[in-house]
Amino acid sequence: MMQLYKKYLFNIFTKSFLEISSVFLSLVFILSFLEELSFFKNTDVGIFYLFFLTSLNVPSVIFEIFPFIFLISTQFFFMKLFNSDEILTFNKFGVNNFKILKVALTTTFIFGLLIVLIFYNFSAKLKFVYLDLKNSYSSDNKYLAVITSNGLW
């Protein structure tokens, strides 16, 4: 059975992770939408099509910046604990800093595993559809292949 302080720390970390993820999601969506708007400025497409293309591209961009999201979430997690003096309270009740760090590491590992196993497949499929749709509007077929760190796709 999970101890109460572990549940509490898990909830705080999850909350900070979701807050930071939502901030980055909104920023990436806005920037991707502006990029699509720039690409289709001379083409007669509707605004909903731009939103659709942006929605297809956003998960793959979010997947690429997840390491930074985890880093910033961890910083906000510890800042909340330090600012509210909960670190001292935990230390007085026998929970040392290593136990707190262990909860954060375990939570990060679980989230990372879920992201790699589930979210990556989802975002890769959406990216394929995105590139296929965007290539139909490109005259030089430059969206037919993508060069990534894993090679040419």
Side-chain angles (χ1 to χ4, degrees), residues 5-141:
Y5 80 91
K6 288 181 182 178
K7 263 187 209 176
Y8 177 71
L9 292 174
F10 176 80
N11 289 337
I12 290 176
F13 187 82
T14 303
K15 184 179 176 187
S16 69
F17 178 75
L18 291 175
E19 287 173 353
I20 300 299
S21 295
S22 63
V23 168
F24 273 96
L25 180 70
S26 61
L27 288 173
V28 166
F29 190 85
I30 291 168
L31 291 174
S32 294
F33 181 75
L34 292 175
E35 180 183 335
E36 297 302 327
L37 195 61
S38 173
F39 180 80
F40 287 107
K41 65 183 171 191
N42 296 328
T43 310
D44 187 29
V45 293
I47 190 107
F48 294 112
Y49 189 72
L50 296 177
F51 278 116
F52 177 68
L53 280 178
T54 302
S55 299
L56 290 175
N57 191 32
V58 164
S60 64
V61 177
I62 289 292
F63 180 78
E64 292 175 5
I65 60 174
F66 263 129
F68 299 108
I69 292 173
F70 277 115
L71 177 68
I72 295 170
S73 298
T74 305
Q75 290 175 344
F76 274 89
F77 168 72
F78 282 110
M79 281 176 36
K80 186 198 179 307
L81 291 179
F82 282 122
N83 289 340
S84 62
D85 290 330
E86 290 177 355
I87 290 282
L88 298 174
T89 306
F90 281 129
N91 288 336
K92 286 181 183 177
F93 285 103
V95 179
N96 58 12
N97 293 343
F98 182 71
K99 289 181 181 178
I100 295 171
L101 186 61
K102 198 162 68 170
V103 171
L105 289 173
T106 306
T107 307
T108 302
F109 180 75
I110 291 170
F111 284 170
L113 198 61
L114 290 174
I115 287 168
V116 168
L117 292 177
I118 297 170
F119 188 77
Y120 175 72
N121 293 324
F122 173 71
S123 69
K125 288 179 183 180
L126 290 180
K127 184 72 168 186
F128 176 76
V129 173
Y130 167 77
L131 292 173
D132 194 35
L133 290 174
K134 196 162 181 180
N135 189 41
S136 65
Y137 288 96
S138 177
S139 60
D140 56 359
N141 286 335

Side-chain angles (χ1 to χ4, degrees), residues 133-153:
L133 290 174
K134 196 162 181 180
N135 189 41
S136 65
Y137 288 96
S138 177
S139 60
D140 56 359
N141 286 335
K142 86 177 189 184
Y143 294 99
L144 196 55
V146 177
I147 300 173
T148 63
S149 60
N150 297 334
L152 184 64
W153 295 92

